[in-house]
Amino acid sequence: NAEDTFRTLQLWFEVLPALERLEGTTYNPECYEMVKDFIVTVMEVERNGIYVDQQKLDDLEEHVVSEEDRLRKELMEFHAVANCVNIHPKFQEAVKRGQEPDLSKIISVKNDTFIGYVAKAYKVYKYGNKTKTKVTFGKNILPNILHMLQKNASKNEEGIAVFERLQQLRFWSDLKSKFLNNWKIWISPQDSKFHCDYRIIKKMLS
């Protein structure tokens, strides 16, 4: 990115002269020449923007939503998962109101209540991240649970299948929330370009 390359340029002007004054210190001038040319390229990209084919972006979003729906339907085929959905407060509230429950807000890797129910159903709740007030299941927890299920001598095949699908669901959900949704925000309607601001992107993805 532009900031990294700019800092490298600063090293050339500030640090390397100081190093040259130290006996026995060497550096590679060819590397600087490569970085120097790259700085110009990155600056031009940020200044001019990157064209985005919005139809391709819409197609990708449609594919992501389709994959999420497929995984939710497959998860609902497991009796234990379906039961976790049925006892979820959001499901119960929707039923009381005579509304169709929104499964996308229930069967979600960001819904700790749902993931907690599933973890209890497959006896892996203890692997959650315990705080003083609750147990959470962040992005590093699901892979750990799946690994524990896979290496268990008496493998729980159904549990493995469920957590594999939850892992896949996380992948598509992250792709949509971290990239697709944000790309749509930052694409300029005037020129259909993505104008990258390193500071904004860094904050957005952190």
Side-chain angles (χ1 to χ4, degrees):
N1 55 59
E3 183 168 328
D4 287 342
T5 48
F6 174 68
R7 296 305 177 192
T8 303
L9 184 61
Q10 282 188 316
L11 291 176
W12 173 262
F13 288 114
E14 298 173 14
V15 177
L16 289 181
L19 291 176
E20 286 179 328
R21 294 192 291 269
L22 299 176
E23 185 177 353
T25 301
T26 60
Y27 63 91
N28 190 333
E30 287 79 11
C31 292
Y32 167 72
E33 292 300 324
M34 293 172 62
V35 172
K36 181 180 69 173
D37 294 336
F38 184 62
I39 290 173
V40 177
T41 302
V42 174
M43 290 178 65
E44 287 299 318
V45 167
E46 293 200 351
R47 181 180 295 114
N48 297 324
I50 303 171
Y51 174 74
V52 177
D53 187 329
Q54 297 206 50
Q55 183 58 53
K56 293 283 187 182
L57 195 60
D58 291 339
D59 292 344
L60 178 57
E61 182 176 33
E62 185 177 329
H63 177 69
V64 169
V65 172
S66 174
E67 286 297 302
E68 288 181 315
D69 289 343
R70 176 184 64 80
L71 288 166
R72 289 190 178 99
K73 287 177 183 177
E74 290 182 5
L75 284 165
M76 284 296 288
E77 292 175 1
F78 296 99
H79 177 74
V81 176
N83 185 58
C84 292
V85 171
N86 292 337
I87 65 175
H88 195 281
K90 288 185 178 179
F91 184 92
Q92 297 287 336
E93 184 179 342
V95 171
K96 286 181 181 178
R97 293 181 178 179
Q99 300 172 342
E100 185 71 22
D102 185 353
L103 292 183
S104 68
K105 293 183 179 179
I106 300 173
I107 304 178
S108 168
V109 291
K110 297 180 181 179
N111 188 327
D112 278 333
T113 300
F114 168 72
I115 299 297
Y117 289 163
V118 175
K120 286 180 180 178
Y122 292 100
K123 297 180 172 50
V124 290
Y125 188 77
K126 62 182 179 181
Y127 299 116
N129 182 37
K130 299 176 180 64
T131 66
K132 289 184 178 180
T133 57
K134 59 182 179 179
V135 176
T136 60
F137 296 86
K139 64 180 181 179
N140 295 323
I141 302 299
L142 292 184
N144 292 339
I145 290 177
L146 180 58
H147 177 70
M148 294 301 298
L149 287 169
Q150 289 171 335
K151 78 178 235 182
N152 195 314
S154 56
K155 287 186 177 179
N156 183 336
E157 297 298 335
E158 182 176 315
I160 292 172
V162 166
F163 279 90
E164 282 178 343
R165 284 163 175 78
L166 288 174
Q167 272 287 84
Q168 294 171 35
L169 186 60
R170 175 175 291 282
F171 169 79
W172 293 114
S173 298
D174 284 350
L175 179 61
K176 184 172 68 175
S177 63
K178 289 187 175 181
F179 294 96
L180 291 179
N181 292 346
N182 286 311
W183 284 343
K184 288 197 168 188
I185 292 173
W186 297 109
I187 290 175
S188 169
Q190 286 78 20
D191 57 11
S192 295
K193 288 183 177 181
F194 184 78
H195 293 276
C196 177
D197 183 317
Y198 169 75
R199 292 164 297 178
I200 293 175
I201 302 304
K202 182 179 180 181
K203 182 179 180 180
M204 183 175 71
L205 299 181
S206 62

